[in-house]
């Protein structure tokens, strides 16, 4: 498995009517179940690699993501987050919300959830 297991009472993802709904991914290395970098760029890259693992398992790609919701522990990290995030996508980009939150699990700086659909 190329993504972390759930750390609570939830599914990593669920599928319904051609849609894939993935729970928020934080920057856990799936092999160690730990956050291995403290900077937003490294954490964003790990989150997106985790999402890639979920997509791969379901024969989907980043082009199949139609909506993301991104949670940042510090909105001042938006520019650096967006730089890494945008390197994983091509136009047409998914719809997206990005909001600052007070805290994230395991003191992560970023969490991203997705909705994907295979047309």
């Amino acid at each position: 498995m190329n993504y972390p297991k759930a750390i609570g009472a939830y599914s990593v993802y669920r599928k319904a009517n051609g849609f894939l709904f993935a729970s928020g991914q934080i920057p856990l290395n799936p092999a160690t179940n730990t956050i291995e970098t403290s900077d937003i760029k490294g954490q964003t890259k790990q989150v997106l690699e985790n999402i890639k693992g979920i997509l791969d398992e379901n024969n989907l790609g980043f082009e199949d993501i139609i909506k993301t919701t991104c949670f940042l522990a510090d909105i001042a990290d938006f520019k650096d987050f967006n730089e890494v995030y945008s390197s994983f996508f091509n136009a047409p980009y998914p719809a997206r919300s990005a909001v600052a939150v007070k805290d994230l699990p395991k003191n992560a700086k970023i969490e991203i959830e997705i909705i994907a659909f295979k047309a």
Side-chain angles (χ1 to χ4, degrees):
M1 183 167 27
N2 291 323
Y3 56 85
K5 295 179 182 176
I7 60 173
Y10 61 89
S11 296
V12 172
Y13 65 84
R14 296 287 308 266
K15 296 191 289 188
N17 297 322
F19 288 91
L20 178 128
F21 300 85
S23 297
Q25 291 294 300
I26 61 173
L28 293 174
N29 177 319
T32 64
N33 206 38
T34 61
I35 296 174
E36 297 180 346
T37 183
S38 62
D39 68 283
I40 189 64
K41 286 183 176 184
Q43 287 197 14
T44 302
K45 183 177 185 299
Q46 182 63 61
V47 166
L48 291 164
E49 291 294 338
N50 293 346
I51 289 169
K52 182 181 183 315
I54 294 167
L55 293 170
D56 287 349
E57 183 171 285
N58 289 279
N59 298 312
L60 296 166
F62 281 92
E63 69 278 6
D64 298 311
I65 297 175
I66 57 175
K67 172 72 168 85
T68 65
T69 305
C70 307
F71 305 95
L72 298 163
D74 185 348
I75 201 66
D77 287 334
F78 182 82
K79 181 178 177 270
D80 289 337
F81 144 76
N82 198 54
E83 181 182 317
V84 176
Y85 176 96
S86 63
S87 72
F88 280 76
F89 294 93
N90 295 309
Y93 301 104
R96 178 179 84 182
S97 299
V99 297
V101 295
K102 184 178 180 299
D103 293 308
L104 290 167
K106 298 190 178 267
N107 295 314
K109 293 179 181 266
I110 181 83
E111 180 174 345
I112 301 174
E113 64 183 30
I114 66 157
I115 300 171
F117 181 78
K118 188 69 163 183

